[in-house]
Amino acid sequence: MKNTFLVAFMLLCTIAGAQTFIRSELPTPLSTPWEIQYGPDGFLWISESGGRISRVDPLNGNKTVVYTAADYYGGSPLEQSPLCFQPNIGSGTHGLALDPDFGISNPTYLYLVHSYNHGDTITPYTRFKIARITWDPAIQQVIGDTTIVDSLANGFDHFGGRLLAVKRNGQNYLFYSAGDNGISETNGPTCYNPQTNNPNNFVQDPFALNGKIHRFNMDGSIPFDNPIPGNSFYTRGHRNPQGLAYNPQEDLLYDIEHGDRTDDEINVLYAGMNYGWKTVRGYHGDNNIPGEDSIIANYTPHPLIANDSLVPALFSWCDTIPPTLLSPPTWCTVAPSDGLFYKSNIIPEFNNSLLVVTLKDGNVTDQQMYCVRLNPDGKSVAPSTLQQPNPTTYFAADQSLNGRLRDIAISPDSTTIYLVNNGGANADKITVYTLLNAALNNGSNLANAITLLPNPTIDDLTIRTDLNWTSAEVIDINGRICRSIPSSEKKISTLELESGVYFLRFILDQQQAVFKKFVKL
């Protein structure tokens, strides 16, 4: 009996994520989620297909669709390209942001990026827009919406689409990432004839909308101190910037973007600066593309942009010679989707780092989370050592369960990570990783009021408690829900369970989650 328990506990430490996390899934049905935010109201806010915003209880997974864009448009076959192997025009529901003052004022605001028809039924013209949605927290309902930015760039690929709302020096701003909208020439048959029509040729032009990070005021107007007056452009030279993150400690913005076969990047964003695409990528001074050193050395600043210069990547994945094979699974790029800045000693190895999730299950890549540790100033990456590699990776062993990781959020107490996927698993869902000690100690006094007998068990498990609990679930060490238990059931048969460590997650009537561990022999 003693040996069985020891083996089971070691399995828990190995599988649950480097002896740190308990994996679970919320029973929340999702459809192509893009963004997940942990709101100050204690709920998860998620953008989903069809121009929808959903609000989810992080304890029980109950979901309410609070908004559906009346003018959402999914594109038209009339906009397809006869030349292109990927002919469908861009469409979808992308970035979601909560106002920096969300919940402080009533009403308050959310912001959503989605596609709409800027033309008509005879001549459709699918573009993206930013809508400001008015939320009344008193009645917990949307009471209105308005378009604040429309006619955002679109094409056949590389859409970007992330939103970030931040308060900087007492002023609120809304940042939007726009991809280059062009399909890379190396990826197959061209979609453009001549190739000079490819939108990715215009990402260096500050007056073209694509390949940029844009900055707006919260009403959609353009800040007076943007790099070019009257222009929403904030930075340029981006390929497919799918992630935006903010470091409030040092007042730094980061973008996370896909490279072309090499050099997926994390960049520190400085107003007006040029991040190189499509002529320079990744680090400077150690370039792997012939001719890039000369471009850097002979760079001519734009005459309308003060202090304009090329800025190298803060961090680059796959900084190698471009592969000659055209099969994306063989490339060492990781396809990063989004990330967040983590500043807490609750998880010491994450402190002062960017947590970045990825989409790609390739020959040498996994769908996982990267922890990229930063130096204290936030402007450089901390050294990597044998004792403490940088970056470190998490949750790769669970990729078949987790799928393509589209976004990440974290609880206010810094103990729980929430991931959403779209594709790559049995369903789109919310996966939860809770710090093991936090899960077991959460409401520890309450957990002490619950007794499971006998524990370890061979057959039945009896629940003894005076607490009022509304439901419970048996969760295995991979986070799978084995069965749900109503509050009327006080004795659980464990005959159908394999030997190992399990958790009972109780939801109390005050919506608090309490974990109890038991062992099936």
Side-chain angles (χ1 to χ4, degrees), residues 15-16 22-26 398 401 431-432 474-482 503 505:
I15 295 180
I22 296 174
R23 182 188 182 278
S24 61
E25 295 178 5
L26 292 179
D398 300 333
L401 300 172
T431 300
V432 184
V474 176
I475 302 173
D476 69 13
I477 57 176
N478 287 321
R480 290 180 287 250
I481 298 174
C482 301
F503 294 88
R505 180 171 60 187

Side-chain angles (χ1 to χ4, degrees), residues 252-304:
L252 293 174
L253 289 165
Y254 305 94
D255 110 276
I256 300 158
E257 63 181 89
H258 294 219
D260 178 26
R261 295 182 296 163
T262 69
D263 295 288
D264 289 338
E265 294 179 357
I266 300 175
N267 294 298
V268 184
L269 299 180
Y270 301 102
M273 296 300 99
N274 186 343
Y275 291 82
W277 180 252
K278 69 177 195 175
T279 56
V280 176
R281 65 195 80 189
Y283 303 121
H284 293 185
D286 185 23
N287 296 290
N288 50 59
I289 308 298
E292 287 190 355
D293 288 331
S294 176
I295 293 171
I296 295 168
N298 296 287
Y299 180 71
T300 302
H302 195 285
L304 296 181

